[in-house]
Amino acid sequence: TPPEDPNSFFTDMDSDKIQKKQLVFVRHGESTWNDTFNKGDRSALNFIMFFIPNLLKAAFMEWYFFVTGQETESWFFDSPLSEKGLTQARGVQSFLKQELSFQTSKEKEYIDIMLGNTPSQLISSNLRRAISTMAVGFQDRFALHKQNDSMLIMPQLQEISRNPDALSITPPFGKLALAYTDPNDIAIILDKQSDTSKHSGNKPIDSNGLKRMQEFCKVAFQDIDSSNLVIAGHSLWFRSFFRTYLPKDLDHISKKKKIVNGGCVGFTLLRIETEKGEYKYMIDPKTITVLYRGF
């Protein structure tokens, strides 16, 4: 975490020097890795009883991919959506399809950003479970081709973890491939409506979560024209982002709990240039809005 309190740079919230971006975080659906190693919402007894059978199933699938020459497939590495995760991604799609009623104007503002009624850029981590969650969850928006929609793949969003499921197997600047758990109807999105021009590959060895978050902020403000970003990503990365860019003395649930699988949360990210020519960022805490499922 940066040593400074971001709030110290934003003493005048009415300053015309402050730039703003509206962001919506969408956490990916559960992955095959989660299905094997994480308890999730299963009872402790159920998880323990089925852990060994599930591990054997995972090992068999990994062996099967190896002997059949499917080098771009894996249960463990860059793990794709599980059956449950696909259901959670479809939950996002169903949420955006329904007749929505809004409790606040801010909620409507973020939902319009998600729907594409307000121009926005769709962005995903370079890990397959996030890519698939966005392709499935926003499938109806992609079908409408609003603003010539494309999903921008950004390695800066890669999860903060040393586990193999946090390693990307998509080649740098290469085409996105349909994972073995993906529905066939998102193939056209991966092929025709995805942009890997910024996907330089796996996170560098000398990288860390803070460096990637700072680089993401830099790219978001300097290289992406849209003021509204919808971002499919990961629980630890998202929670770290809230911890890093919210005021340090603020007690907020986003610092303590992860966004749930398939959850969607909107907020405003601020940027200001200091007298030294450095850019500083802060989440405006008043704008954090749970849109679907939450923390």
Side-chain angles (χ1 to χ4, degrees), residues 168-201:
S168 174
I169 60 178
T170 299
F173 313 110
K175 285 271 190 180
L176 300 180
L178 202 68
Y180 65 95
T181 61
D182 284 340
N184 290 328
D185 56 3
I186 68 166
I188 189 169
I189 297 172
L190 303 186
D191 184 43
K192 303 294 186 183
Q193 293 178 275
S194 300
D195 179 359
T196 59
S197 62
K198 292 188 183 299
H199 173 47
S200 53

Side-chain angles (χ1 to χ4, degrees), residues 54-122:
N54 285 337
L55 185 60
L56 291 173
K57 175 186 175 182
F60 170 78
M61 290 298 295
E62 203 71 19
W63 172 83
Y64 172 77
F65 294 140
F66 177 75
V67 299
T68 55
Q70 299 183 59
E71 67 276 357
T72 61
E73 282 298 357
S74 177
W75 183 281
F76 299 116
F77 291 90
D78 198 355
S79 53
L81 291 178
S82 65
E83 185 176 340
K84 181 179 178 181
L86 182 55
T87 299
Q88 291 163 336
R90 285 181 171 142
V92 176
Q93 182 184 25
S94 298
F95 166 70
L96 293 174
K97 268 184 176 179
Q98 68 187 7
E99 193 69 35
L100 295 166
S101 59
F102 307 104
Q103 296 181 354
T104 67
S105 59
K106 206 67 183 170
E107 190 177 354
K108 183 181 188 306
E109 185 177 349
Y110 290 127
I111 296 295
D112 280 339
I113 287 170
M114 294 178 74
L115 290 170
N117 297 336
T118 301
S120 56
Q121 175 66 58
L122 299 175

Side-chain angles (χ1 to χ4, degrees), residues 7-18 270 272:
N7 198 36
S8 64
F9 300 101
F10 294 85
T11 52
D12 179 9
M13 292 296 283
D14 296 321
S15 170
D16 57 7
K17 294 181 180 179
I18 296 177
L270 311 175
I272 195 166

Side-chain angles (χ1 to χ4, degrees), residues 38-53:
N38 295 357
K39 173 180 168 289
D41 56 9
R42 293 172 286 189
S43 69
L45 179 61
N46 180 281
F47 175 67
I48 292 168
M49 284 181 60
F50 289 95
F51 178 73
I52 296 301

Side-chain angles (χ1 to χ4, degrees), residues 115-146:
L115 290 170
N117 297 336
T118 301
S120 56
Q121 175 66 58
L122 299 175
I123 303 173
S124 175
S125 147
N126 58 350
L127 297 177
R128 295 189 295 173
R129 55 194 180 274
I131 293 168
S132 299
T133 296
M134 176 154 278
V136 171
F138 293 81
Q139 190 169 7
D140 298 306
R141 172 174 163 171
F142 280 112
L144 293 173
H145 295 277
K146 288 187 178 181

Side-chain angles (χ1 to χ4, degrees), residues 250-267:
L250 181 73
D251 183 23
H252 196 276
I253 189 173
S254 63
K255 292 183 174 183
K256 304 169 186 175
K257 289 194 172 184
K258 301 173 182 176
I259 298 175
V260 301
N261 292 107
C264 307
V265 177
F267 60 91

